[in-house]
Amino acid sequence: MSYRDQQKYLDYLKRFENKFTPKEREEYKMFLKRQKDDEDFDSLSMKRLKELYDKYYKPADRSKFDALFKKPGDNS
């Protein structure tokens, strides 16, 4: 994984920092320190960061936008 991926995951997880368990919060702080020192994460750290990201990442439900883009009078 690249530095950009690390940054993307850390930026996204910043929003959920208050929902972390104490262990997750400690790991997240360690990841931030390592990122600040411009370190590339090893494979275990990157795997753990990806697990945290997957746990809190919820993709947007785009089906609710379908009604906005239908033509007037279209019944399908």
Side-chain angles (χ1 to χ4, degrees):
M1 291 272 174
S2 68
Y3 183 83
R4 287 177 64 177
D5 293 332
Q6 290 174 203
Q7 189 63 45
K8 179 183 86 169
Y9 293 148
L10 290 171
D11 287 343
Y12 183 81
L13 288 172
K14 183 182 282 189
R15 297 182 227 163
F16 300 100
E17 190 173 0
N18 59 348
K19 295 181 181 180
F20 289 161
T21 64
K23 182 181 181 224
E24 290 172 343
R25 186 173 291 117
E26 188 64 34
E27 288 177 335
Y28 178 72
K29 287 180 181 180
M30 187 250 333
F31 291 142
L32 288 177
K33 287 178 186 176
R34 289 179 67 188
Q35 181 77 6
K36 186 177 179 182
D37 293 339
D38 291 329
E39 288 185 38
D40 284 335
F41 292 1
D42 57 8
S43 59
L44 292 175
S45 297
M46 199 62 202
K47 180 181 173 194
R48 180 64 185 137
L49 181 61
K50 180 82 169 107
E51 288 171 359
L52 272 175
Y53 176 79
D54 290 340
K55 180 178 178 181
Y56 290 98
Y57 177 71
K58 305 286 189 260
D61 181 17
R62 296 176 189 249
S63 65
K64 61 184 173 186
F65 298 118
D66 289 343
L68 296 174
F69 296 102
K70 287 186 180 178
K71 292 181 182 177
D74 188 15
N75 295 334
S76 7

